[in-house]
Amino acid sequence: MLTTNPFEDEYGDKLREECGVFGVFNAESAAAIVALGLHALQHRGQEAAGVTSWDGAAFHTHRAMGHVAGNFDRDDIIRALPGRVACGHVRYSTTGETALRNVQPLFAELQSGGFAVAHNGNLSNAVKLRRDLVRRGSIFQSTSDTETIIHLVATSQYRTLIDRFIDALRQIEGAYSLICMTPEGMIACRDPLGIRPLVMGKLGDATIFASETVALDVCGAEFVREVEPGELITVSESGIRSVRPFGEVRARPCVFEHVYFSRPDSVSDGRSVYDVRKAIGAELARERPVEVDMVIPVPDSGVPAAIGYAQASGIPFELGIIRSHYVGRTFIQPADNIRHLGVKLKHNANSALIRGKRIVLIDDSIVRGTTSLKIVQMMRDAGATEVHMRIASPPTRHSCFYGVDTPERAKLLAARMTVEEMAAYINADSLAFVSVDGLYRALGEQGRDALKPSHCDACFTGDYPTPLTDHDDIAVPDQFALLDERVMA
């Protein structure tokens, strides 16, 4: 069934990364560099954006709903964010309502001075921590799990800010890559499992932190290295210092960064995201071959895997679906009788190419299945004689609690249907997914080590690498459980 907004299904049928973070220390017009970096990370969060700067005397913040463009490409806004230190954030909401009060960086005046924080990830015990903090007298200004970190720092009994910050981190569970600003400098850290990404770069004398290497490329910075799992880096006038306040834990970075979240021109875990996606497509061709006339990607995220599938299978790669890049989610349909045409504004079949052909569609994932259903039907309407579908990830059967906006498990198609039932639901002649081992082979490994997996793949396997305190707590929530109900799902 079509919804009121024809693009709602498409956005609801993709796993969405919660956010992207970017920070600069010791650069002229630091806020302008941050805005440029956030442009490169826009794919990680398109609901809101914010930048906070420090000019040596005061903090300055501008936060806005919508894209970076239009909010941070104006000279007057950048001039209102002076200083050589700045950090920024682009956001999708996975905890907390979509409202300006939840837009990051979040800022508070602590005993030690101003403290700003930008967070990529999700805390899986935020509801419990928040409830306890409110009972002890904390007053929250947002419904974001990130604010919990600020209150834990503020209420810590340790003397120095760094010790208070580490004390706060030791109380939280889940995934986090953080960039924080204080009057003394900048702090960047990554959770002990390294679930969410964070990299470090240099631009002249400036130090930069970003969610992805592509953000370094866009602002002309040099990639230095990844912030390692469990590492905390401080940057100040005294220099750069690295500490590791947590015990040794086997890293489990999110495997979906390679499948979908990261831009293909980024490098993640030392591997080209583009090359990994092509390798996934090649594995898919070997595991799930099909006799067809052409390989067609579902743009844009399915393109690298489709190239890999075509090269490995010897079947021609063709652009059978043309995507318009000029239609946003806010397009207004003036009448019911044309609302159903909205999907064609985003994707349109290349009918002259498809008519009379057997095709295989390559996409990165299936979540609810609504988009796949529409795309398959579009191919049939364009005259394809057979429509097969191959997916460059294993079936998504479990929700993510680490900073990815996934539906409730009951709404995940693969959680309630077999692959054959899914194929019938989307009206495809056949449907197949790359195996979990095939995904790991594309990453250069022999397969998934069941005892020591190298990545977080919980959305496929249900093997969650951290406790899920809020999810497991089935007690009736009291008046202090104020976080968005999706945390409790």
Side-chain angles (χ1 to χ4, degrees):
M1 178 183 295
L2 288 175
T3 62
T4 300
N5 182 343
F7 308 113
E8 185 176 305
D9 277 343
E10 177 180 349
Y11 283 81
D13 203 25
K14 290 289 183 184
L15 297 181
R16 301 189 308 180
E17 173 61 281
E18 179 184 10
C19 55
V21 295
F22 192 94
V24 177
F25 181 88
N26 191 31
E28 194 71 32
S29 300
I33 298 173
V34 170
L36 191 62
L38 293 181
H39 271 287
L41 299 173
Q42 187 73 85
H43 60 289
R44 299 185 75 91
Q46 299 180 39
E47 288 182 352
V51 175
T52 297
S53 70
W54 163 253
D55 64 5
F59 287 88
H60 309 270
T61 296
H62 181 78
R63 301 183 297 167
M65 305 304 296
H67 288 187
V68 178
N71 285 314
F72 291 95
D73 53 4
R74 291 166 39 192
D75 290 341
D76 59 326
I77 289 177
I78 296 301
R79 285 197 301 270
L81 296 167
R84 299 181 63 86
V85 184
C87 70
H89 186 274
V90 289
R91 180 178 192 261
Y92 274 131
S93 60
T94 64
T95 65
E97 62 188 326
T98 301
L100 190 60
R101 63 175 176 163
N102 287 328
V103 180
Q104 299 183 33
L106 297 183
F107 175 80
E109 290 284 355
L110 306 183
Q111 182 180 8
S112 56
F115 184 82
V117 57
H119 171 207
N120 173 208
N122 199 64
L123 308 184
S124 56
N125 65 335
V127 171
K128 180 181 184 301
L129 290 172
R130 182 186 182 108
R131 185 183 296 127
D132 293 343
L133 285 162
V134 170
R135 284 176 175 146
R136 286 156 46 193
S138 291
I139 301 173
F140 281 74
Q141 301 298 315
S142 76
T143 57
S144 168
D145 62 333
T146 306
E147 191 178 357
T148 304
I149 298 170
I150 295 176
H151 287 274
L152 290 173
V153 173
T155 57
S156 173
Q157 299 302 302
Y158 283 85
R159 187 175 61 85
T160 69
L161 176 63
I162 288 297
D163 286 340
R164 290 183 174 192
F165 185 61
I166 293 172
D167 180 39
L169 296 184
R170 285 175 172 160
Q171 298 178 61
I172 63 180
E173 300 169 356
Y176 56 86
S177 285
L178 302 172
I179 297 177
C180 306
M181 290 167 49
T182 76
E184 286 72 40
M186 181 168 283
I187 306 169
C189 68
R190 201 170 168 199
D191 68 76
L193 296 176
I195 297 173
R196 301 262 69 87
L198 193 63
V199 299
M200 181 179 179
K202 294 288 288 184
L203 180 63
D205 294 329
T207 300
I208 295 180
F209 298 99
S211 291
E212 292 184 40
T213 61
V214 67
L216 303 178
D217 298 338
V218 168
C219 66
E222 173 190 357
F223 171 73
V224 175
R225 65 178 179 87
E226 292 190 359
V227 177
E228 296 183 7
E231 183 180 19
L232 187 152
I233 299 174
T234 58
V235 187
S236 66
E237 296 297 337
S238 302
I240 300 175
R241 179 172 175 250
S242 170
V243 297
R244 300 174 188 277
F246 310 105
E248 288 292 327
V249 181
R250 184 179 178 86
R252 295 280 299 274
C254 174
V255 75
F256 224 90
E257 291 288 343
H258 292 287
V259 173
Y260 175 69
F261 294 142
S262 293
R263 270 181 42 167
D265 45 344
S266 281
V267 175
S268 182
D269 299 332
R271 303 174 179 91
S272 161
V273 174
Y274 178 78
D275 287 346
V276 170
R277 289 179 187 168
K278 283 179 61 180
I280 295 173
E283 285 289 337
L284 188 55
R286 287 187 283 268
E287 290 185 349
R288 303 297 185 184
V290 62
E291 291 188 12
V292 292
D293 300 309
M294 62 183 66
V295 177
I296 294 177
V298 177
D300 288 324
S301 57
V303 171
I307 293 173
Y309 193 101
Q311 290 176 347
S313 65
I315 302 170
F317 170 94
E318 299 287 356
L319 295 179
I321 302 171
I322 306 302
R323 180 188 173 192
S324 170
H325 293 266
Y326 305 104
V327 180
R329 298 180 68 181
T330 56
F331 180 82
I332 298 172
Q333 298 80 42
D336 289 341
N337 63 345
I338 68 166
R339 187 169 290 132
H340 72 283
L341 300 176
V343 68
K344 291 190 175 182
L345 291 171
K346 195 75 171 180
H347 294 121
N348 192 43
N350 189 349
S351 300
L353 177 73
I354 293 168
R355 189 173 295 111
K357 298 295 194 303
R358 302 169 301 169
I359 67 170
V360 59
L361 296 167
I362 309 296
D363 205 354
D364 59 85
S365 61
I366 292 181
V367 181
R368 301 174 198 250
T370 49
T371 299
S372 301
L373 173 63
K374 292 176 183 178
I375 293 293
V376 169
Q377 188 58 49
M378 183 186 296
M379 297 296 96
R380 294 198 184 281
D381 292 344
T385 58
E386 294 180 18
V387 182
H388 303 267
M389 200 158 198
R390 297 293 181 266
I391 306 300
S393 64
T396 302
R397 294 193 171 99
H398 304 272
S399 297
C400 177
F401 301 95
Y402 301 127
V404 179
D405 188 12
T406 54
E408 297 174 6
R409 191 177 181 212
K411 295 180 180 179
L412 294 171
L413 200 65
R416 55 189 178 88
M417 291 186 183
T418 66
V419 174
E420 292 74 20
E421 290 170 338
M422 294 172 70
Y425 175 80
I426 66 172
N427 194 27
D429 289 286
S430 72
L431 171 67
F433 298 77
V434 73
S435 68
V436 173
D437 281 344
L439 178 61
Y440 276 87
R441 284 193 293 270
L443 291 167
E445 303 180 23
Q446 295 298 312
R448 185 186 194 271
D449 184 337
L451 298 177
K452 297 180 179 179
S454 62
H455 286 74
C456 177
D457 53 21
C459 53
F460 309 133
T461 66
D463 179 14
Y464 295 98
T466 75
L468 301 176
T469 297
D470 293 336
H471 177 262
D472 295 336
D473 182 4
I474 59 174
V476 177
D478 63 18
Q479 62 179 322
F480 301 114
L482 301 176
L483 286 186
D484 188 284
E485 65 181 1
R486 281 172 292 182
V487 178
M488 303 293 290

